[in-house]
Amino acid sequence: AFVAALCSFFIIWCALHGQWPLGLALAAGTILTGLYFSVMRVKVSPTAVEIRYGNLGPTIPLAAIESAEPVVHPHRGFLRWGITINRKRERLYVIAGDAGHAVRIVWRTARGQRRVHIIGSREPQRLADAIAQARASMSLPPAVEDGRPHKAED
């Protein structure tokens, strides 16, 4: 609805100012951009979790994940979707229709910085299980033990 309203505005405004080609070009660009970012893909591979909203999003190495658990995020409601950063500096990748269901992934970068990504999903338990299964197939320790990250022993 937002994209349609924006396209209508571009066309009408440009038509009133005698700039039909510009209005059509802006409307077409808005539609293509809307389509590009209307799909979020999450892929759990044998080595990483890839999150893509259009072409944007991180690739999280499985070995860097400290925890992955289903949660309900507060960023829900009409027109509440996209990529956002909340007050806790957590990155939210939220899709329309997820009803607040998500997977919270806590991980560390190669430099040791703690990152949290909340990934909207219609099937959060299935996604969390897929991450746990991929970690298990790599012979990695469990992501969380007694609420604290598990550290490998030498």
Side-chain angles (χ1 to χ4, degrees), residues 104-118:
R104 183 174 186 263
I105 300 174
V106 179
W107 63 289
R108 295 215 179 256
T109 66
R111 293 183 177 173
Q113 296 173 321
R114 184 175 182 268
R115 297 279 170 90
V116 178
H117 292 277
I118 299 174

Side-chain angles (χ1 to χ4, degrees), residues 44-49 60-66 130-131 134-135 137-138 140:
V44 180
S45 74
T47 58
V49 177
I60 304 170
L62 288 176
I65 295 175
E66 294 179 358
I131 294 169
R135 285 182 55 81
S137 69
M138 288 184 68
L140 293 172

Side-chain angles (χ1 to χ4, degrees), residues 45-149:
S45 74
T47 58
V49 177
E50 298 174 19
I51 304 155
R52 294 291 177 263
Y53 217 130
N55 229 11
L56 304 175
T59 298
I60 304 170
L62 288 176
I65 295 175
E66 294 179 358
S67 67
E69 59 188 1
V71 296
V72 175
H73 65 79
H75 193 70
R76 53 185 176 219
F78 185 67
L79 292 178
R80 295 283 195 139
W81 52 272
I83 302 171
T84 58
I85 299 176
N86 68 12
R87 292 179 187 162
K88 296 178 186 177
R89 307 287 302 158
E90 299 170 330
R91 289 169 175 81
L92 283 77
Y93 295 83
V94 181
I95 58 173
D98 67 10
H101 300 290
V103 173
R104 183 174 186 263
I105 300 174
V106 179
W107 63 289
R108 295 215 179 256
T109 66
R111 293 183 177 173
Q113 296 173 321
R114 184 175 182 268
R115 297 279 170 90
V116 178
H117 292 277
I118 299 174
I119 315 306
S121 173
R122 291 185 180 113
E123 299 181 45
Q125 187 62 54
R126 185 174 169 202
L127 178 56
D129 290 345
I131 294 169
Q133 184 178 5
R135 285 182 55 81
S137 69
M138 288 184 68
S139 300
L140 293 172
V144 174
E145 191 172 284
D146 297 329
R148 294 187 310 247

